[in-house]
Amino acid sequence: MSEPTGPAPERLDDLLTAAASRSPGAAAIASPAGALTFAELDSQVTRVAAGLRGWLGDDAAVVGIANTLDVSFAVALYAVVRAGYTALVLNPLHPGQMLAQAAGAAGAAAVIAPSQVLAALADAPGRPTGLRELILADGLAGGEPTLASIATADVTAWVPPSRGPRDIALIQFTSGTTGRPKGVRLTHRNLVVNAAQVARAHELGPSSVTLNHLPTLHPMHLNAAICAGATQVLCPDPSSARAVEMANTCRATHYYSLPVRLAQLAAAPDLAVLRFETVQAVLSGGSALPGWAATALRAHFGVPVVQGYGLAEMSPLTHSDPPSRPAPGSVGPVVADTQCRVVGLTSRETLPAQARGEVQVRGPQLMAGYLDPAEPSGVDAGGWLSTGDVGYLDDEGRLFLVDRIKDVFKCDNWMIAPSEVEAVLIGHPGVADCVVVELPDDFHGAVAGAAVVLRDGCTPGEVARWLRDRVPYYQCLHAVAVVGEVTRSPNGKVQRRQFRDLVAAAPRLTPAEPDAHDEEEARGNHDQPAHRDR
């Protein structure tokens, strides 16, 4: 990545102004609906910002924006912060009631979204009383104003309001996979710093072309590419084959996708005929990419498959393998100016390399706090954020994740990470997808069960017997429920609690009993924070 010259941006929208100054005629963002150069994008942002200011007034308003995979999201996001307001990211895949709850919690005065999202919000019970305006992002005809209609034609005399680097630029809700979603308050500095961290970690530069094959346009991908002066190409088609074709057409260098889509690509019958012509790295995030899928894609396409890690509270990226030097199975070292340590689950003491415990991180991208001031921040006096994830560091400082603390449970003093059992289970040719959950047990304390999507001819008993030969006794399945689909959030995370009752109601199996060696080790394993090595 070539380092940008000139003064360091202080506000989020300064990233765009700097990119437009360096390369005004270069392509900034493109989709099947159209494309904008950096200069065109910057100009549109200023005109919409001036229009928003006149439309909403001078108060420091919160404006919700649906992060659709569309150029309009980029215009709206930077326009809102350039107008001196705070942007609230809304997931366009959420139902109207969830959208209304998020808008109400943040005190949003307006929402910018496509027509179908605005319709869902308008029909939702309990529309927030403070929500004054609904603005169409897609420019379709209707009764609401559009981004184009509120844009100010002449902005030669308009001066953006002053906003400092520590002012709140963005509110983003956590995924809520292990509890209710929490609103995270991110400053201009948080986002500007992390944009540079991501661009550097992903080795982005002005010659880079990123193909974004995600269901939504996450601010991280948008900001990092703008920071680097890279071209972004948005692929709204859910087909991975179509995305690969589009990557070749636009001469993409970086291919971004979700673990679930990459796993589907790795298992696709037509994988053999797909090729990358210019892509130099496949990048995955949001949840763990199954090892078999990463291996298959790496072997087939001959390019690195890179996994990253982060949290909304960290703006979000904290770790990423460099595409030029990936380490399979790892989420990589920390990004620039960031620190990571692993502490004991009970002792809270810093652990040495290879020891498993809770991952903690700190850095300049750490949030300003939660939207609800009564919500515990999880940040200690030293600035360390407890992530709730279990993992370990290798001798070179690369992070390997095991599971969520709330998902990890004990069976006979053995700590079980459901994701590790899933990684083995998905290797069965008859298992299309799976999720492993904790089941209470009077004798063992807790045991593992699973909800599985089976291919034709496979049975729950066959799956359980197959797994029994490949894992220790305490990871064997005591119940298997067959489901038609394992539902996931847009970033690929699964909510295990949704499947526990279903699995608990399935017939109990009789897995292998521990042998004498297993029992002896279990008795001496009371203080171990996580799994033994297999």
Side-chain angles (χ1 to χ4, degrees):
M1 172 186 171
S2 60
E3 297 294 334
T5 58
E10 290 193 340
R11 303 185 344 169
L12 180 59
D13 57 301
D14 288 344
L15 292 175
L16 177 57
T17 301
S21 176
R22 293 193 306 267
S23 307
I29 189 167
S31 77
L36 293 173
T37 66
F38 284 106
E40 291 168 340
L41 178 58
D42 192 48
S43 175
Q44 280 200 27
V45 164
T46 299
R47 291 190 294 109
V48 172
L52 280 173
R53 195 74 182 178
W55 196 267
L56 297 177
D58 295 336
D59 294 333
V62 174
V63 179
I65 311 170
N67 61 326
T68 53
L69 198 67
D70 190 88
V71 172
S72 64
F73 175 70
V75 174
L77 176 64
Y78 293 126
V80 166
V81 296
R82 184 164 292 177
Y85 303 137
T86 297
L88 166 68
V89 176
L90 296 173
N91 187 337
L93 305 180
H94 280 168
Q97 186 172 5
M98 291 184 67
L99 294 170
Q101 289 171 348
V111 168
I112 302 171
S115 53
Q116 69 270 21
V117 176
L118 293 186
L121 182 59
D123 293 340
R127 171 173 165 166
T129 56
L131 185 58
R132 309 194 307 267
E133 302 291 349
L134 299 178
I135 302 170
L136 280 170
D138 50 20
L140 298 177
E144 308 293 352
T146 68
L147 284 179
S149 70
I150 66 172
T152 301
D154 184 4
V155 292
T156 54
W158 186 73
V159 178
S162 176
R163 295 280 278 171
R166 299 192 182 278
D167 288 326
I168 304 302
L170 191 74
I171 297 171
Q172 188 157 12
F173 279 85
T174 59
S175 61
T177 52
T178 56
R180 63 181 181 83
K182 293 176 283 190
V184 176
R185 299 163 64 244
L186 301 173
T187 67
H188 284 268
R189 180 173 183 264
N190 290 154
L191 297 165
V192 167
V193 164
N194 201 237
Q197 291 169 325
V198 176
R200 181 175 176 180
H202 292 180
E203 300 173 352
L204 296 175
S207 62
S208 301
V209 177
T210 68
L211 190 287
N212 189 326
H213 191 223
L214 302 167
T216 60
L217 180 48
H218 195 286
M220 182 193 85
H221 299 97
L222 174 64
N223 296 335
I226 293 291
C227 176
T231 298
Q232 301 172 77
V233 179
L234 311 179
C235 179
D237 193 318
S239 165
S240 292
R242 173 68 183 121
V244 170
E245 178 185 342
M246 193 170 180
N248 293 333
T249 300
C250 71
R251 315 309 288 170
T253 57
H254 295 66
Y255 182 96
Y256 289 91
S257 192
L258 287 181
V260 63
R261 288 188 172 181
L262 292 174
Q264 292 168 350
L265 176 61
D270 58 350
L271 177 64
V273 301
L274 300 178
R275 292 289 183 273
F276 280 136
E277 297 175 1
T278 55
V279 167
Q280 300 167 11
V282 174
L283 298 103
S284 172
S287 60
L289 176 64
W292 67 266
T295 299
L297 294 175
R298 187 166 52 246
H300 176 74
F301 289 115
V303 300
V305 178
V306 178
Q307 178 85 16
Y309 170 69
L311 308 92
E313 292 86 345
M314 293 295 288
S315 304
L317 196 70
T318 63
H319 292 74
S320 179
D321 252 346
S324 57
R325 299 185 308 280
S330 165
V331 295
V334 289
V335 297
D337 301 320
T338 304
Q339 295 173 291
C340 176
R341 70 182 183 185
V342 175
V343 300
L345 298 182
T346 54
S347 72
R348 309 311 287 172
E349 295 180 355
T350 302
L351 300 178
Q354 308 299 335
R356 300 181 179 190
E358 183 174 10
V359 178
Q360 292 185 329
V361 290
R362 69 178 178 185
Q365 70 271 45
L366 176 64
M367 65 176 179
Y370 290 118
L371 191 60
D372 181 356
E375 186 75 51
S377 69
V379 180
D380 68 15
W384 290 100
L385 171 70
S386 294
T387 66
D389 289 311
V390 177
Y392 64 92
L393 296 168
D394 69 7
D395 294 330
E396 297 182 12
R398 291 182 293 245
L399 178 63
F400 291 77
L401 294 174
V402 175
D403 218 323
R404 292 286 299 172
I405 286 177
K406 291 183 179 180
D407 290 332
V408 172
F409 61 93
K410 271 191 175 183
C411 174
D412 294 345
N413 288 318
W414 292 101
M415 296 297 292
I416 297 179
S419 62
E420 288 195 341
V421 183
E422 291 164 0
V424 180
L425 191 57
I426 199 67
H428 189 292
V431 176
D433 203 353
C434 64
V435 56
V436 172
V437 299
E438 170 189 4
L439 300 175
D441 186 88
D442 292 337
F443 182 72
H444 298 285
V447 294
V452 296
V453 179
L454 297 179
R455 296 189 172 97
D456 292 342
C458 189
T459 66
E462 178 187 343
V463 169
R465 288 190 295 272
W466 180 89
L467 183 70
R468 183 188 306 167
D469 295 334
R470 289 162 175 81
V471 298
Y473 84 91
Y474 52 85
Q475 290 186 340
C476 289
L477 299 178
H478 287 243
V480 176
V482 178
V483 296
E485 178 187 13
V486 174
T487 54
R488 287 177 167 82
S489 68
N491 61 2
K493 294 181 180 179
V494 62
Q495 294 183 322
R496 300 184 198 280
R497 63 180 180 273
Q498 295 181 348
F499 294 92
R500 289 194 179 111
D501 290 345
L502 184 64
V503 177
R508 285 297 177 111
L509 306 173
T510 307
E513 293 300 322
D515 59 26
H517 177 71
D518 283 327
E519 288 183 324
E520 181 180 349
E521 288 201 38
R523 285 194 296 270
N525 194 47
H526 294 274
D527 299 323
Q528 293 299 313
H531 303 35
R532 63 172 178 175
D533 292 328
R534 294 199 296 274

